[in-house]
Amino acid sequence: MRSWMTSTMRLLVGSALGTIFGSALIAVDTITIVSSLPRTGSANAQTTSMVNGIKMALDEYQRTLTVGGTNYSLTYEDWDDASPERGAWDPAVEAANADKAIRNPDVMVYIGTYNSGAAKIAMPKLNQAGLAMISPANTWPGLTKPNVGEANEPTVYRPSGSINYFRVVPADDIQGAVGAAWAKELGAKRVFVLHDRELYGQGIAKMFQQNAEKLGLTVVGTEGIDGKSGNYKSLINKLRLARPDLVYFGGTTETGAGQLAKDMQSGGLTAKLMGPDAFYNSALINAAGNAALENRVFITFGGIPPEQQTGKGKAFVDAYRTVYKIEPEGYAIYAYECTKVALDAMVRAGKKDRAAILQALRETKNYDGALGKWSFDDNGDTTLALMSGNTVVNGAFSFVKLLGQ
Amino acid sequence: MTTTELIIQLLITGLANGLIIALIALGYTMVYGIIELINFAHGDVMMLGCFLALTIVGLCGGEQLSPWIALPLLFLTVPFFTAGLNWSVEKLAYKPIREAPKLTALVSAIGVSFVFINIGMFWGGLPMDVFGGGGSAASAKSFPDLFGWSNLLGEQSAVLLTPRDVMVAAVTIPLMIGLTFFINRTRMGTAMRAVAQNPTAAKLMGIDVDRVIGLTFIIGGALAGVASVITALYTGSIHFQMGYRNGMDAFTAAVLGGIGNLPGAVLGALLIGLVRAVMEGYVPNGGQWSNTVVFALLILVLVFRPNGILGSRVREKV
């Protein structure tokens, strides 16, 4: 009698507990999205804006997602891939981030990186693990395209043999070409090409140079410079000797773009300064001041600037302004698009499964997003090729024209 | 541009950069001469001086500020601040461990350097217009152009000599002459040389060693303050990590010339300035090798003259 009572009670209590925990487990099942972007150093303002973009995408879904009839709560983790020692992205931190994402079974998408050099570290790891990676900002062509970068690119990033890396920005081969064409349009005949000796800067400088030569511009010199130098006054002397009418700098705001603009002005060099998308952040205006930039600096950017957006892009920019009371930086909309296309792929995959989501991303066709209607091609690149040309007026970026049409 | 013009141009840029390095190097070498400590925080004291200078300019109207008001204002306040800062560092971080092994003080200096770098980053994030509203604390900050861009040799001249280049020379050279006079001719200077030679004997002769050390840090800090104003005006931008790079150049200059030796530090700094000017301003693709050449030169000098260029000839330190 007594033993019967006990076992019945045990059964009751057990089933009650089972119900409680069971339902709790269903309620807390999550899909996690992580981003690995530089949070330490001068790229941080850009990163904050990109993270805001990601959060806005998630908030549009109220942070829940129905995948194959099951409700999941969406969680997001904002990881730093920079270290204080370097003041910029750090290979060791990026590698640790990739490993951490792989180990967490809830992580379905890895958004990053900002720097192409950092992508090189994370790509093979995530590829091996079959985890999707989408970058809002990497522009080094070799990450996805054969025959434009190093000889072993991009196969070295794909140890599993299939593609897991996608990007929503046009790569630098396109940017270099539109930059050179724009330089010619601006009346440049003699160009001096500088780069910061980093993967991104040197790569885009090379693309610019090749295209400039193809268009009949004279390249009067090329030079790798020290991105951490205190000033470039001596370098300006060399530039003056070569008498260029346009200087192209394959570099970033973190590697001396602002100081270069400043020293070109103080050194009496009237040549125009042209730079790639990594110039397109408020830190450049902070570093060089308006006088050194106004109608002197020309920036190609892989897409349309916030104030020129129309349709869904404009809706994003307006919403961003309302929520954060500040203008979005150039890459915010790309981070937003990354997140949106990832969520779209999860719904299409129909289950919380890395392989299924990856397959759905590969099949993304005619996605109608904030950047317009675009697809991922077989390399994982966006089919978008439209860029914009910008300058600085009155201490703010100012759109000049669309490029690459 | 003829060869002569080219040489003159390289000399102007090289000497201007060299003189700035020299001002910072003097602070390193004086402190080393007195207490044999490499004060790694010195470059960062100079960096904080730059941030104060920008803050003052920002509070007084930014670009609209006349240089005739700005210069006296900056040259009075910033060196005062950095001198006080350097003095406090000595009292708080070095004096309590003066009797400990040399390595302890060195680690302490590196710690102070990190603290200052972080203060600089925080400072750059203050919500002021000159800091870009504080939106990106870590980015470089433009320093308003108080001088204009005229060429003093006329707009047609191939050689460019700006008011900035003149200002660098006009401030640093008299300062160095004054410092030399102070060390060699005054009572306090004699006391400093005495402490440098032998602190114990100096103490026995009735010299207040603590006061002399404190004064050394004050002078070194004030020189760093002058260097910050000049650097900010000359390069036109400041950054929280600039102390490291400037400090490294200055330290190299001090070792090159013979650490502890004042004329040596100036000589080393001018040499570094000129080597960089030639590498960056003339040698094709030389910019990326300028550091290599500077440090190769340092190694070469140290192999043949382990005490630096002037280090062994002048036995007295300070």
Side-chain angles (χ1 to χ4, degrees), chain A residues 56-95:
Chain A
M56 279 177 62
L58 296 172
D59 288 343
E60 276 178 27
Y61 285 80
Q62 271 84 40
R63 306 240 172 185
T64 56
L65 192 68
T66 311
V67 174
T70 316
N71 276 322
Y72 291 94
S73 87
L74 291 170
T75 60
Y76 165 60
E77 289 177 26
D78 164 16
W79 294 348
D80 185 1
D81 73 353
S83 66
E85 298 84 60
R86 287 175 55 109
W89 74 274
D90 187 320
V93 183
E94 181 59 43

mmCIF file of all heavy atoms in Angstrom, chain A residues 56-95:
data_model
loop_
_atom_site.group_PDB
_atom_site.id
_atom_site.type_symbol
_atom_site.label_atom_id
_atom_site.label_comp_id
_atom_site.label_asym_id
_atom_site.label_seq_id
_atom_site.Cartn_x
_atom_site.Cartn_y
_atom_site.Cartn_z
ATOM 1 N N MET A 56 18.262 46.544 -35.647
ATOM 2 C CA MET A 56 17.004 46.988 -36.256
ATOM 3 C C MET A 56 16.340 45.878 -37.044
ATOM 4 O O MET A 56 15.122 45.712 -37.011
ATOM 5 C CB MET A 56 17.253 48.196 -37.154
ATOM 6 C CG MET A 56 17.346 49.487 -36.364
ATOM 7 S SD MET A 56 17.723 50.884 -37.416
ATOM 8 C CE MET A 56 16.291 50.904 -38.483
ATOM 9 N N ALA A 57 17.167 45.072 -37.754
ATOM 10 C CA ALA A 57 16.620 43.949 -38.520
ATOM 11 C C ALA A 57 15.943 42.960 -37.583
ATOM 12 O O ALA A 57 14.845 42.470 -37.857
ATOM 13 C CB ALA A 57 17.730 43.275 -39.314
ATOM 14 N N LEU A 58 16.610 42.671 -36.447
ATOM 15 C CA LEU A 58 16.047 41.702 -35.504
ATOM 16 C C LEU A 58 14.778 42.243 -34.848
ATOM 17 O O LEU A 58 13.817 41.507 -34.621
ATOM 18 C CB LEU A 58 17.089 41.362 -34.423
ATOM 19 C CG LEU A 58 18.339 40.659 -34.948
ATOM 20 C CD1 LEU A 58 19.372 40.554 -33.842
ATOM 21 C CD2 LEU A 58 17.991 39.281 -35.491
ATOM 22 N N ASP A 59 14.781 43.545 -34.563
ATOM 23 C CA ASP A 59 13.611 44.149 -33.929
ATOM 24 C C ASP A 59 12.396 44.135 -34.845
ATOM 25 O O ASP A 59 11.258 44.055 -34.385
ATOM 26 C CB ASP A 59 13.924 45.591 -33.487
ATOM 27 C CG ASP A 59 14.866 45.613 -32.287
ATOM 28 O OD1 ASP A 59 14.985 44.559 -31.628
ATOM 29 O OD2 ASP A 59 15.493 46.654 -32.031
ATOM 30 N N GLU A 60 12.655 44.203 -36.161
ATOM 31 C CA GLU A 60 11.526 44.131 -37.097
ATOM 32 C C GLU A 60 10.792 42.807 -36.955
ATOM 33 O O GLU A 60 9.613 42.699 -37.239
ATOM 34 C CB GLU A 60 12.022 44.278 -38.538
ATOM 35 C CG GLU A 60 12.187 45.721 -38.941
ATOM 36 C CD GLU A 60 12.722 45.850 -40.350
ATOM 37 O OE1 GLU A 60 12.488 44.924 -41.164
ATOM 38 O OE2 GLU A 60 13.388 46.863 -40.623
ATOM 39 N N TYR A 61 11.521 41.761 -36.534
ATOM 40 C CA TYR A 61 10.914 40.442 -36.327
ATOM 41 C C TYR A 61 10.514 40.253 -34.865
ATOM 42 O O TYR A 61 10.250 39.141 -34.436
ATOM 43 C CB TYR A 61 11.901 39.342 -36.722
ATOM 44 C CG TYR A 61 12.056 39.172 -38.215
ATOM 45 C CD1 TYR A 61 12.855 40.024 -38.956
ATOM 46 C CD2 TYR A 61 11.399 38.133 -38.878
ATOM 47 C CE1 TYR A 61 13.000 39.869 -40.325
ATOM 48 C CE2 TYR A 61 11.542 37.964 -40.238
ATOM 49 C CZ TYR A 61 12.334 38.833 -40.959
ATOM 50 O OH TYR A 61 12.475 38.661 -42.308
ATOM 51 N N GLN A 62 10.527 41.320 -34.079
ATOM 52 C CA GLN A 62 10.263 41.242 -32.630
ATOM 53 C C GLN A 62 11.156 40.186 -31.960
ATOM 54 O O GLN A 62 10.772 39.570 -30.978
ATOM 55 C CB GLN A 62 8.785 40.919 -32.332
ATOM 56 C CG GLN A 62 7.900 42.155 -32.217
ATOM 57 C CD GLN A 62 7.426 42.618 -33.591
ATOM 58 O OE1 GLN A 62 7.091 41.792 -34.427
ATOM 59 N NE2 GLN A 62 7.439 43.915 -33.814
ATOM 60 N N ARG A 63 12.299 39.948 -32.545
ATOM 61 C CA ARG A 63 13.269 38.997 -31.998
ATOM 62 C C ARG A 63 12.725 37.577 -31.859
ATOM 63 O O ARG A 63 13.169 36.810 -31.012
ATOM 64 C CB ARG A 63 13.796 39.477 -30.650
ATOM 65 C CG ARG A 63 14.352 40.894 -30.709
ATOM 66 C CD ARG A 63 15.783 40.943 -30.325
ATOM 67 N NE ARG A 63 16.323 42.280 -30.570
ATOM 68 C CZ ARG A 63 17.595 42.593 -30.419
ATOM 69 N NH1 ARG A 63 18.445 41.675 -30.033
ATOM 70 N NH2 ARG A 63 18.031 43.797 -30.664
ATOM 71 N N THR A 64 11.715 37.243 -32.674
ATOM 72 C CA THR A 64 11.279 35.850 -32.728
ATOM 73 C C THR A 64 11.161 35.475 -34.194
ATOM 74 O O THR A 64 10.941 36.336 -35.052
ATOM 75 C CB THR A 64 9.903 35.631 -32.066
ATOM 76 O OG1 THR A 64 8.964 36.513 -32.693
ATOM 77 C CG2 THR A 64 9.949 35.889 -30.582
ATOM 78 N N LEU A 65 11.316 34.180 -34.470
ATOM 79 C CA LEU A 65 11.257 33.756 -35.855
ATOM 80 C C LEU A 65 10.564 32.401 -35.908
ATOM 81 O O LEU A 65 10.860 31.513 -35.111
ATOM 82 C CB LEU A 65 12.679 33.642 -36.418
ATOM 83 C CG LEU A 65 12.784 33.472 -37.927
ATOM 84 C CD1 LEU A 65 12.340 34.740 -38.644
ATOM 85 C CD2 LEU A 65 14.214 33.128 -38.305
ATOM 86 N N THR A 66 9.624 32.246 -36.826
ATOM 87 C CA THR A 66 8.974 30.956 -36.996
ATOM 88 C C THR A 66 9.660 30.220 -38.138
ATOM 89 O O THR A 66 9.657 30.692 -39.273
ATOM 90 C CB THR A 66 7.477 31.151 -37.317
ATOM 91 O OG1 THR A 66 6.946 32.068 -36.376
ATOM 92 C CG2 THR A 66 6.731 29.840 -37.234
ATOM 93 N N VAL A 67 10.284 29.115 -37.775
ATOM 94 C CA VAL A 67 11.002 28.337 -38.783
ATOM 95 C C VAL A 67 10.376 26.948 -38.826
ATOM 96 O O VAL A 67 10.410 26.214 -37.832
ATOM 97 C CB VAL A 67 12.498 28.243 -38.426
ATOM 98 C CG1 VAL A 67 13.222 27.322 -39.397
ATOM 99 C CG2 VAL A 67 13.136 29.625 -38.441
ATOM 100 N N GLY A 68 9.811 26.607 -39.957
ATOM 101 C CA GLY A 68 9.199 25.288 -40.128
ATOM 102 C C GLY A 68 8.139 25.006 -39.069
ATOM 103 O O GLY A 68 8.058 23.899 -38.535
ATOM 104 N N GLY A 69 7.353 26.021 -38.679
ATOM 105 C CA GLY A 69 6.270 25.836 -37.729
ATOM 106 C C GLY A 69 6.686 25.934 -36.271
ATOM 107 O O GLY A 69 5.847 25.899 -35.376
ATOM 108 N N THR A 70 7.987 26.067 -36.003
ATOM 109 C CA THR A 70 8.433 26.184 -34.611
ATOM 110 C C THR A 70 8.824 27.632 -34.337
ATOM 111 O O THR A 70 9.458 28.276 -35.174
ATOM 112 C CB THR A 70 9.658 25.286 -34.375
ATOM 113 O OG1 THR A 70 9.427 24.033 -34.984
ATOM 114 C CG2 THR A 70 9.920 25.121 -32.888
ATOM 115 N N ASN A 71 8.459 28.106 -33.145
ATOM 116 C CA ASN A 71 8.858 29.461 -32.769
ATOM 117 C C ASN A 71 10.230 29.451 -32.101
ATOM 118 O O ASN A 71 10.467 28.677 -31.192
ATOM 119 C CB ASN A 71 7.843 30.062 -31.789
ATOM 120 C CG ASN A 71 6.673 30.664 -32.539
ATOM 121 O OD1 ASN A 71 6.859 31.259 -33.602
ATOM 122 N ND2 ASN A 71 5.483 30.498 -31.995
ATOM 123 N N TYR A 72 11.088 30.303 -32.576
ATOM 124 C CA TYR A 72 12.403 30.445 -31.951
ATOM 125 C C TYR A 72 12.566 31.878 -31.486
ATOM 126 O O TYR A 72 12.066 32.801 -32.123
ATOM 127 C CB TYR A 72 13.513 30.137 -32.959
ATOM 128 C CG TYR A 72 13.578 28.691 -33.360
ATOM 129 C CD1 TYR A 72 12.904 28.246 -34.498
ATOM 130 C CD2 TYR A 72 14.307 27.777 -32.611
ATOM 131 C CE1 TYR A 72 12.945 26.925 -34.879
ATOM 132 C CE2 TYR A 72 14.356 26.445 -32.981
ATOM 133 C CZ TYR A 72 13.673 26.019 -34.127
ATOM 134 O OH TYR A 72 13.728 24.714 -34.484
ATOM 135 N N SER A 73 13.276 32.034 -30.368
ATOM 136 C CA SER A 73 13.607 33.403 -30.003
ATOM 137 C C SER A 73 14.982 33.715 -30.614
ATOM 138 O O SER A 73 15.872 32.874 -30.641
ATOM 139 C CB SER A 73 13.602 33.580 -28.490
ATOM 140 O OG SER A 73 14.844 33.263 -27.956
ATOM 141 N N LEU A 74 15.105 34.922 -31.155
ATOM 142 C CA LEU A 74 16.359 35.316 -31.807
ATOM 143 C C LEU A 74 17.243 36.021 -30.799
ATOM 144 O O LEU A 74 16.832 37.004 -30.185
ATOM 145 C CB LEU A 74 16.067 36.273 -32.962
ATOM 146 C CG LEU A 74 15.350 35.698 -34.176
ATOM 147 C CD1 LEU A 74 14.941 36.838 -35.104
ATOM 148 C CD2 LEU A 74 16.256 34.729 -34.914
ATOM 149 N N THR A 75 18.430 35.505 -30.599
ATOM 150 C CA THR A 75 19.357 36.253 -29.747
ATOM 151 C C THR A 75 20.533 36.705 -30.602
ATOM 152 O O THR A 75 20.860 36.097 -31.621
ATOM 153 C CB THR A 75 19.890 35.424 -28.566
ATOM 154 O OG1 THR A 75 20.575 34.295 -29.101
ATOM 155 C CG2 THR A 75 18.780 34.987 -27.648
ATOM 156 N N TYR A 76 21.125 37.797 -30.158
ATOM 157 C CA TYR A 76 22.216 38.378 -30.927
ATOM 158 C C TYR A 76 23.377 38.699 -29.998
ATOM 159 O O TYR A 76 23.183 39.228 -28.910
ATOM 160 C CB TYR A 76 21.730 39.657 -31.624
ATOM 161 C CG TYR A 76 22.839 40.523 -32.146
ATOM 162 C CD1 TYR A 76 23.730 40.020 -33.093
ATOM 163 C CD2 TYR A 76 23.025 41.815 -31.680
ATOM 164 C CE1 TYR A 76 24.766 40.802 -33.561
ATOM 165 C CE2 TYR A 76 24.058 42.605 -32.155
ATOM 166 C CZ TYR A 76 24.932 42.091 -33.092
ATOM 167 O OH TYR A 76 25.966 42.857 -33.543
ATOM 168 N N GLU A 77 24.586 38.324 -30.412
ATOM 169 C CA GLU A 77 25.764 38.661 -29.615
ATOM 170 C C GLU A 77 26.739 39.488 -30.448
ATOM 171 O O GLU A 77 27.057 39.126 -31.576
ATOM 172 C CB GLU A 77 26.439 37.379 -29.100
ATOM 173 C CG GLU A 77 25.599 36.717 -28.016
ATOM 174 C CD GLU A 77 26.197 35.409 -27.526
ATOM 175 O OE1 GLU A 77 27.429 35.239 -27.624
ATOM 176 O OE2 GLU A 77 25.409 34.552 -27.053
ATOM 177 N N ASP A 78 27.161 40.590 -29.861
ATOM 178 C CA ASP A 78 28.009 41.578 -30.534
ATOM 179 C C ASP A 78 29.454 41.372 -30.060
ATOM 180 O O ASP A 78 29.799 41.752 -28.955
ATOM 181 C CB ASP A 78 27.447 42.960 -30.132
ATOM 182 C CG ASP A 78 28.391 44.112 -30.414
ATOM 183 O OD1 ASP A 78 29.344 43.934 -31.185
ATOM 184 O OD2 ASP A 78 28.146 45.192 -29.839
ATOM 185 N N TRP A 79 30.263 40.685 -30.891
ATOM 186 C CA TRP A 79 31.640 40.360 -30.485
ATOM 187 C C TRP A 79 32.635 41.329 -31.110
ATOM 188 O O TRP A 79 32.480 41.755 -32.245
ATOM 189 C CB TRP A 79 32.004 38.936 -30.903
ATOM 190 C CG TRP A 79 31.215 37.873 -30.193
ATOM 191 C CD1 TRP A 79 30.406 38.035 -29.104
ATOM 192 C CD2 TRP A 79 31.133 36.485 -30.553
ATOM 193 N NE1 TRP A 79 29.835 36.837 -28.760
ATOM 194 C CE2 TRP A 79 30.260 35.866 -29.622
ATOM 195 C CE3 TRP A 79 31.706 35.700 -31.553
ATOM 196 C CZ2 TRP A 79 29.956 34.506 -29.668
ATOM 197 C CZ3 TRP A 79 31.414 34.343 -31.599
ATOM 198 C CH2 TRP A 79 30.549 33.757 -30.675
ATOM 199 N N ASP A 80 33.692 41.590 -30.356
ATOM 200 C CA ASP A 80 34.779 42.475 -30.793
ATOM 201 C C ASP A 80 35.891 41.616 -31.400
ATOM 202 O O ASP A 80 36.290 40.632 -30.793
ATOM 203 C CB ASP A 80 35.296 43.224 -29.560
ATOM 204 C CG ASP A 80 36.355 44.270 -29.893
ATOM 205 O OD1 ASP A 80 36.673 44.414 -31.088
ATOM 206 O OD2 ASP A 80 36.837 44.929 -28.966
ATOM 207 N N ASP A 81 36.368 41.947 -32.593
ATOM 208 C CA ASP A 81 37.497 41.176 -33.119
ATOM 209 C C ASP A 81 38.798 41.983 -33.085
ATOM 210 O O ASP A 81 39.780 41.618 -33.714
ATOM 211 C CB ASP A 81 37.214 40.608 -34.519
ATOM 212 C CG ASP A 81 37.222 41.668 -35.611
ATOM 213 O OD1 ASP A 81 37.315 42.861 -35.285
ATOM 214 O OD2 ASP A 81 37.131 41.290 -36.794
ATOM 215 N N ALA A 82 38.775 43.090 -32.324
ATOM 216 C CA ALA A 82 39.996 43.895 -32.198
ATOM 217 C C ALA A 82 40.565 43.744 -30.797
ATOM 218 O O ALA A 82 39.904 43.254 -29.896
ATOM 219 C CB ALA A 82 39.664 45.367 -32.460
ATOM 220 N N SER A 83 41.814 44.146 -30.648
ATOM 221 C CA SER A 83 42.431 44.109 -29.323
ATOM 222 C C SER A 83 43.054 45.473 -29.036
ATOM 223 O O SER A 83 43.454 46.177 -29.957
ATOM 224 C CB SER A 83 43.508 43.029 -29.286
ATOM 225 O OG SER A 83 44.565 43.379 -30.147
ATOM 226 N N PRO A 84 43.139 45.847 -27.761
ATOM 227 C CA PRO A 84 43.728 47.142 -27.412
ATOM 228 C C PRO A 84 45.186 47.254 -27.867
ATOM 229 O O PRO A 84 45.632 48.334 -28.214
ATOM 230 C CB PRO A 84 43.637 47.190 -25.886
ATOM 231 C CG PRO A 84 42.723 46.103 -25.487
ATOM 232 C CD PRO A 84 42.680 45.112 -26.585
ATOM 233 N N GLU A 85 45.913 46.121 -27.876
ATOM 234 C CA GLU A 85 47.333 46.186 -28.244
ATOM 235 C C GLU A 85 47.484 46.667 -29.682
ATOM 236 O O GLU A 85 48.392 47.405 -30.010
ATOM 237 C CB GLU A 85 48.018 44.812 -28.130
ATOM 238 C CG GLU A 85 48.032 44.211 -26.739
ATOM 239 C CD GLU A 85 46.753 43.473 -26.431
ATOM 240 O OE1 GLU A 85 46.427 42.507 -27.142
ATOM 241 O OE2 GLU A 85 46.047 43.879 -25.489
ATOM 242 N N ARG A 86 46.617 46.185 -30.563
ATOM 243 C CA ARG A 86 46.740 46.551 -31.971
ATOM 244 C C ARG A 86 45.894 47.769 -32.331
ATOM 245 O O ARG A 86 46.141 48.423 -33.327
ATOM 246 C CB ARG A 86 46.339 45.373 -32.861
ATOM 247 C CG ARG A 86 47.382 44.256 -32.859
ATOM 248 C CD ARG A 86 46.883 43.062 -33.662
ATOM 249 N NE ARG A 86 46.495 43.434 -35.002
ATOM 250 C CZ ARG A 86 47.168 43.111 -36.088
ATOM 251 N NH1 ARG A 86 48.283 42.446 -35.983
ATOM 252 N NH2 ARG A 86 46.735 43.457 -37.267
ATOM 253 N N GLY A 87 44.889 48.042 -31.522
ATOM 254 C CA GLY A 87 44.004 49.169 -31.817
ATOM 255 C C GLY A 87 43.205 48.941 -33.087
ATOM 256 O O GLY A 87 42.626 49.849 -33.655
ATOM 257 N N ALA A 88 43.204 47.698 -33.548
ATOM 258 C CA ALA A 88 42.485 47.336 -34.772
ATOM 259 C C ALA A 88 42.219 45.835 -34.686
ATOM 260 O O ALA A 88 42.520 45.216 -33.663
ATOM 261 C CB ALA A 88 43.311 47.660 -36.006
ATOM 262 N N TRP A 89 41.664 45.243 -35.753
ATOM 263 C CA TRP A 89 41.346 43.812 -35.703
ATOM 264 C C TRP A 89 42.619 43.025 -35.403
ATOM 265 O O TRP A 89 43.710 43.390 -35.802
ATOM 266 C CB TRP A 89 40.709 43.354 -37.007
ATOM 267 C CG TRP A 89 41.658 43.237 -38.159
ATOM 268 C CD1 TRP A 89 42.042 44.228 -39.005
ATOM 269 C CD2 TRP A 89 42.367 42.068 -38.567
ATOM 270 N NE1 TRP A 89 42.927 43.761 -39.913
ATOM 271 C CE2 TRP A 89 43.154 42.432 -39.686
ATOM 272 C CE3 TRP A 89 42.401 40.746 -38.114
ATOM 273 C CZ2 TRP A 89 43.966 41.512 -40.335
ATOM 274 C CZ3 TRP A 89 43.214 39.841 -38.770
ATOM 275 C CH2 TRP A 89 43.988 40.226 -39.863
ATOM 276 N N ASP A 90 42.418 41.911 -34.666
ATOM 277 C CA ASP A 90 43.541 41.112 -34.212
ATOM 278 C C ASP A 90 43.326 39.664 -34.666
ATOM 279 O O ASP A 90 42.279 39.083 -34.393
ATOM 280 C CB ASP A 90 43.605 41.193 -32.680
ATOM 281 C CG ASP A 90 44.847 40.536 -32.121
ATOM 282 O OD1 ASP A 90 45.234 39.469 -32.640
ATOM 283 O OD2 ASP A 90 45.421 41.094 -31.160
ATOM 284 N N PRO A 91 44.303 39.058 -35.369
ATOM 285 C CA PRO A 91 44.135 37.690 -35.863
ATOM 286 C C PRO A 91 43.750 36.702 -34.750
ATOM 287 O O PRO A 91 42.897 35.849 -34.950
ATOM 288 C CB PRO A 91 45.501 37.324 -36.427
ATOM 289 C CG PRO A 91 46.227 38.598 -36.617
ATOM 290 C CD PRO A 91 45.614 39.625 -35.721
ATOM 291 N N ALA A 92 44.371 36.868 -33.566
ATOM 292 C CA ALA A 92 44.109 35.932 -32.473
ATOM 293 C C ALA A 92 42.668 36.046 -31.997
ATOM 294 O O ALA A 92 41.999 35.039 -31.748
ATOM 295 C CB ALA A 92 45.069 36.199 -31.319
ATOM 296 N N VAL A 93 42.161 37.270 -31.898
ATOM 297 C CA VAL A 93 40.791 37.467 -31.412
ATOM 298 C C VAL A 93 39.791 36.967 -32.446
ATOM 299 O O VAL A 93 38.804 36.309 -32.113
ATOM 300 C CB VAL A 93 40.537 38.965 -31.105
ATOM 301 C CG1 VAL A 93 39.151 39.169 -30.533
ATOM 302 C CG2 VAL A 93 41.588 39.490 -30.138
ATOM 303 N N GLU A 94 40.070 37.249 -33.720
ATOM 304 C CA GLU A 94 39.169 36.797 -34.780
ATOM 305 C C GLU A 94 39.084 35.263 -34.786
ATOM 306 O O GLU A 94 37.997 34.693 -34.890
ATOM 307 C CB GLU A 94 39.649 37.314 -36.137
ATOM 308 C CG GLU A 94 38.779 36.927 -37.318
ATOM 309 C CD GLU A 94 37.337 37.408 -37.212
ATOM 310 O OE1 GLU A 94 37.129 38.563 -36.812
ATOM 311 O OE2 GLU A 94 36.421 36.620 -37.509
ATOM 312 N N ALA A 95 40.243 34.602 -34.631
ATOM 313 C CA ALA A 95 40.261 33.136 -34.613
ATOM 314 C C ALA A 95 39.459 32.604 -33.427
ATOM 315 O O ALA A 95 38.678 31.654 -33.554
ATOM 316 C CB ALA A 95 41.703 32.634 -34.550
#
